[in-house]
């Protein structure tokens, strides 16, 4: 896929408006619809039912759309990461209850769960890099980037 975008960015000279509370990351993403569902199994012989919760989504669905998001650091820390952790935990519990009990293997489950783990690792790495750069800026200072740094970088590639 090819993306073209234009935006303007300006930092604030007001220390109350700068830093972690207002910094954002531009994130390429894939909009994937997912749902928490409850599977109900009815056992005729005993006239009983069991229910299990599960997250369902399809990474290859043709209705998924590529997009960009602008997420602030707090959103990543307070929403994105906890949601990924909850989804991984729920999928792990579902696998243990549904698949291990029936000696089943499920490559879709493995692929989707790995995608969630990769996303979590990506956010964790990005926040680590963000903190490292900010710490370095505070302790060592950073060189000012030339106005055309991106153009020069692209031409070298």
């Amino acid at each position: 896929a090819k993306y073209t975008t234009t935006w303007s960015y300006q930092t604030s000279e007001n220390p109350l408006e700068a830093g972690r509370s207002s910094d954002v990351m531009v994130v390429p993403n894939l909009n994937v619809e997912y749902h928490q569902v409850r599977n109900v199994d009815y056992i005729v012989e005993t006239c009983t039912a069991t229910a299990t919760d599960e997250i369902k989504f399809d990474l290859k669905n043709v209705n998924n759309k590529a997009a960009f998001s602008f997420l602030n650091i707090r959103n990543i820390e307070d929403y994105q990461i906890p949601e990924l952790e909850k989804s991984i935990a729920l999928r792990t519990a579902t696998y243990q209850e549904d698949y291990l009990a029936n000696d089943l293997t499920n490559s879709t489950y493995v692929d989707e769960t790995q995608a969630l783990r990769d996303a979590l690792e990506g956010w964790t790495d990005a926040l680590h890099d963000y903190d490292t750069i900010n710490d370095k800026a505070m302790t060592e200072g950073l060189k000012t980037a030339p106005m055309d740094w991106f153009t020069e970088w692209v031409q070298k590639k």
Side-chain angles (χ1 to χ4, degrees):
K2 181 178 180 179
Y3 301 98
T4 302
T5 186
T6 303
W7 72 85
S8 171
Y9 179 79
Q10 180 176 339
T11 58
S12 173
E13 293 182 19
N14 180 345
L16 297 177
E17 295 176 356
R20 192 171 208 92
S21 62
S22 64
D23 286 350
V24 297
M25 293 189 183
V26 180
V27 183
N29 58 51
L30 179 64
N31 287 342
V32 176
E33 186 174 309
Y34 66 96
H35 302 277
Q36 181 174 345
V37 297
R38 176 163 288 162
N39 293 322
V40 178
D41 294 317
Y42 180 72
I43 304 160
V44 176
E45 294 80 17
T46 61
C47 197
T48 59
T50 60
T52 56
D53 290 333
E54 186 176 350
I55 299 290
K56 298 259 186 183
F57 60 92
D58 180 2
L59 295 176
K60 297 177 183 170
N61 188 314
V62 296
N63 293 323
N64 295 342
K65 302 290 181 206
F68 281 108
S69 293
F70 293 79
L71 300 176
N72 68 36
I73 301 301
R74 291 292 178 213
N75 176 276
I76 295 166
E77 293 173 324
D78 297 343
Y79 180 75
Q80 303 299 327
I81 289 175
E83 283 297 311
L84 287 166
E85 290 170 337
K86 283 193 293 190
S87 293
I88 291 167
L90 184 55
R91 291 188 68 76
T92 300
T94 299
Y95 180 77
Q96 290 169 346
E97 292 170 9
D98 293 343
Y99 298 109
L100 291 179
N102 298 307
D103 275 340
L104 297 174
T105 59
N106 186 323
S107 64
T108 300
Y109 164 84
V110 171
D111 292 345
E112 291 174 354
T113 304
Q114 188 59 50
L116 291 169
R117 287 187 178 120
D118 290 345
L120 180 58
E121 182 180 352
W123 281 129
T124 303
D125 290 349
L127 289 178
H128 173 75
D129 292 346
Y130 170 84
D131 289 334
T132 299
I133 289 169
N134 279 288
D135 290 345
K136 186 174 181 176
M138 295 297 285
T139 60
E140 301 172 28
L142 293 175
K143 293 180 182 176
T144 303
M147 292 296 288
D148 58 351
W149 70 270
F150 186 74
T151 305
E152 288 179 17
W153 180 78
V154 169
Q155 292 171 351
K156 290 179 185 176
K157 295 291 174 182

